[in-house]
Amino acid sequence: MNRPDEVPVFSLYGERLQWPVDDLLHCESIFARSRLHDFNIRAHRHMDLMHVLLLDSGPVSLGIDQRRHQHDGPLLIRVPPLAVHHFRFSAETRGHILTLSAPMIARLRQRLPEAAGWLDEGGWTALSPSSPVLELRDEIRREFEGRAHGRETMMDTWLCALIGKAWRLDMPRRQARRQPASRAEQHLAQFQHLIDARFRARPTITVLAQEMGISASHLNALCIKHTGRSALALLNERTLLEARRELTYTSMSITLIAEQLGFDEPGYFARFFKRYTGTSPSRFRQRG
């Protein structure tokens, strides 16, 4: 079995790339993704992403941290950030996977604080074929695949309803608890929360590390060891995600976006954006 520090850290299945879309939520079919890997998704984990898998039918063999399970759909599986997980599907397995970015996870925690512990521990919940959870999944899928006005708001609304319904459904059942997080995992989770709360102020890694009670070099070493990215890279990726969202979904001027993201000069923001995307903010907006 892989030790935690040997398990690869991916953005999506088998991808070491940055978050691939401008939405805070990504939706795709389990068949489309898993067939690229012969229906066997090997053990990996994510620094700042959460999976919610919704199977309509077909078998799955899954592992989340130290727990193993075999089941047939309909089924909901939740995989929190930092949890080591693997899946083996059948070619007949049908369903969809929702991947939630860090800002979306934070938004869910704010709107559904009672369900935060349930989301964090991960696990699985059997569903009925007519479950409203699956109907809400279909609403999210339609919004994600379309480009209708207000789609981000609608996806946010449907997702909140889906998680709330699933959490209520699971309340009477006793769920296996996650193993206590290691010290390193606690530090990484704390760092991710600080990034999400403070990135607009452009804090230094030294300042964030001091708030965590550790040195900047120790924090950076943890990030590199467990995510393959430096602490600064993780902070910059969060800023870049917000910049792409503002450029795509708002009409704010680039100068105002730069100011709200903590850049003293629009030119500095433009250089930052181009360094990570290969294009200027204005051309990125025109492309959309």
Side-chain angles (χ1 to χ4, degrees):
M1 180 179 298
N2 297 92
R3 299 198 317 269
D5 58 350
E6 293 177 334
V7 176
V9 180
F10 292 146
S11 291
L12 289 177
Y13 290 146
E15 297 174 356
R16 294 181 183 268
L17 304 177
Q18 295 181 8
W19 185 244
V21 294
D22 300 319
D23 299 302
L24 299 185
L25 177 153
H26 184 71
C27 177
E28 65 183 328
S29 76
I30 289 174
F31 179 81
R33 172 60 61 172
S34 63
R35 69 176 177 177
L36 301 176
H37 304 277
D38 295 324
F39 304 101
N40 181 26
I41 309 301
R42 299 185 183 277
H44 65 286
R45 60 179 174 174
H46 309 282
M47 168 67 179
D48 50 5
L49 303 179
M50 177 176 184
H51 286 321
V52 178
L53 290 82
L54 294 127
L55 276 66
D56 295 278
S57 61
V60 60
S61 174
L62 64 98
I64 301 177
D65 287 333
Q66 303 301 315
R67 290 169 289 158
R68 305 289 182 269
H69 190 61
Q70 291 187 343
H71 210 290
D72 288 321
L75 183 71
L76 180 146
I77 305 167
R78 59 196 190 280
V79 183
L82 298 176
V84 178
H85 54 285
H86 62 83
F87 305 109
R88 181 180 291 277
F89 301 104
S90 162
E92 286 72 45
T93 302
R94 294 295 181 270
H96 288 78
I97 176 169
L98 306 179
T99 302
L100 315 183
S101 65
M104 181 63 80
I105 299 169
R107 191 178 298 173
L108 277 176
R109 289 175 178 277
Q110 183 179 19
R111 297 181 66 182
L112 294 170
E114 304 92 341
W118 179 76
L119 290 170
D120 287 343
E121 71 179 3
W124 44 86
T125 305
L127 303 173
S128 69
S130 59
S131 172
V133 172
L134 295 176
E135 295 177 5
L136 289 164
R137 183 275 318 272
D138 289 340
E139 294 287 356
I140 293 171
R141 177 180 55 81
R142 282 190 283 267
E143 290 291 342
F144 180 82
E145 294 173 353
R147 301 305 272 182
H149 180 70
R151 64 188 289 274
E152 183 177 0
T153 299
M154 293 303 297
M155 286 193 294
D156 184 37
T157 300
W158 294 129
L159 177 65
C160 188
L162 185 154
I163 296 299
K165 286 280 189 182
W167 172 66
R168 281 185 176 179
L169 179 64
D170 220 30
M171 284 180 65
R173 307 175 187 179
R174 299 191 61 178
Q175 295 295 308
R177 299 181 62 86
R178 285 191 64 194
Q179 294 291 324
S182 69
R183 189 66 173 164
E185 289 174 330
Q186 292 175 15
H187 281 319
L188 288 171
Q190 184 183 6
F191 181 53
Q192 190 59 53
H193 288 316
L194 282 175
I195 286 176
D196 200 59
R198 302 279 305 282
F199 74 95
R200 290 182 183 275
R202 301 288 294 161
T204 66
I205 298 303
T206 298
V207 167
L208 295 180
Q210 287 174 347
E211 291 190 35
M212 297 170 59
I214 61 177
S215 69
S217 59
H218 181 47
L219 173 59
N220 196 55
L222 283 175
C223 291
I224 292 174
K225 181 177 181 180
H226 292 277
T227 75
R229 292 171 286 172
S230 69
L232 181 59
L234 293 172
L235 177 60
N236 285 341
E237 286 174 15
R238 178 64 182 90
T239 303
L240 184 66
L241 172 62
E242 196 69 16
R244 294 171 66 187
R245 289 183 62 238
E246 298 288 2
L247 289 166
T248 301
Y249 293 111
T250 77
S251 58
M252 285 192 299
S253 69
I254 293 174
T255 298
L256 182 56
I257 292 173
E259 179 182 335
Q260 292 198 354
L261 292 178
F263 292 88
D264 295 331
E265 297 290 340
Y268 178 30
F269 168 66
R271 290 191 295 274
F272 168 87
F273 191 87
K274 188 171 184 178
R275 184 189 320 139
Y276 284 92
T277 67
T279 188
S280 68
S282 58
R283 288 189 177 181
F284 179 87
R285 172 170 273 175
Q286 292 168 2
R287 186 189 67 183

